[in-house]
Amino acid sequence: MLILLKPAIAIACDGNETNGLTIGWAGFGVLWRKPMATVYVHKTRYSKHIFDHAKYYSICFMDQEHKNQLGYFGRVSGRDENKMEKCGMIVNNEDVAPYFEESSVVILCKVMGKSDFDQKSVDENVYEWYQKEGVHSQYYGEIVKVLVKGYK
């Protein structure tokens, strides 16, 4: 799946607030007999409270021409400024979840469940990652639509 080689921004809206974050972890497969995409959000990320209450989210795969925006979404917190307004990209709010018009591929997902990593049940090499700041939450989303624009 070549899109897995592209950097991505996950976006969610909880009805009051929309925010996105650069994601390095995602999974795709079948769960509960449905096509699924799973994203992982660390508990320290501002976006977590939005993902916790969102009914849908999007995964926006970006081409390298948007590397500055990708860096911005990984570097700047929504606590400090409205990234969706300041990123310089066009937000489309006309579907089940917001997404960027500039995305080469968008995966729209309905939240089907959420869980937190149990840091004591993972391999000891992985456990080291969670010693200081705790765990990631996993958001399981049924893929409801895929949008493809001039995939490069």
Side-chain angles (χ1 to χ4, degrees):
M1 192 181 262
L2 291 177
I3 61 169
L4 296 178
L5 301 176
K6 289 186 174 286
I9 298 170
I11 303 171
C13 179
D14 64 6
N16 296 312
E17 189 175 11
T18 301
N19 198 39
L21 68 157
T22 303
I23 57 170
W25 297 1
F28 299 92
V30 176
L31 181 63
W32 305 308
R33 296 184 185 154
K34 298 179 182 299
M36 301 290 281
T38 304
V39 295
Y40 304 84
V41 179
H42 196 271
K43 74 175 196 168
T44 59
R45 298 297 297 260
Y46 180 76
S47 298
K48 184 180 181 323
H49 80 276
I50 299 169
F51 273 82
D52 283 345
H53 296 98
K55 293 181 180 170
Y56 293 88
Y57 62 84
S58 66
I59 304 171
C60 302
F61 291 91
M62 311 301 293
D63 291 323
Q64 282 302 308
E65 65 200 61
H66 300 290
K67 67 182 179 184
N68 290 338
Q69 287 93 341
L70 284 155
Y72 171 74
F73 272 88
R75 183 178 65 253
V76 175
S77 173
R79 283 182 195 94
D80 302 324
E81 61 190 56
N82 186 332
K83 297 190 291 186
M84 303 303 287
E85 289 180 1
K86 292 192 173 188
C87 70
M89 294 190 286
I90 300 167
V91 180
N92 183 314
N93 287 301
E94 297 176 12
D95 216 310
V96 295
Y99 65 89
F100 291 120
E101 291 283 342
E102 294 83 354
S103 305
S104 56
V105 177
V106 176
I107 300 176
L108 296 168
C109 301
K110 177 183 179 187
V111 176
M112 300 297 287
K114 169 194 161 296
S115 64
D116 294 329
F117 277 148
D118 174 4
Q119 65 191 46
K120 294 184 177 161
S121 69
V122 297
D123 181 90
E124 64 187 39
N125 294 317
V126 175
Y127 181 73
E128 292 177 12
W129 290 22
Y130 298 111
Q131 292 296 306
K132 289 184 179 180
E133 297 182 343
V135 298
H136 285 77
S137 293
Q138 304 170 90
Y139 298 88
Y140 309 101
E142 177 186 2
I143 298 171
V144 296
K145 189 185 282 186
V146 176
L147 307 170
V148 179
K149 176 174 107 177
Y151 188 77
K152 295 178 186 175

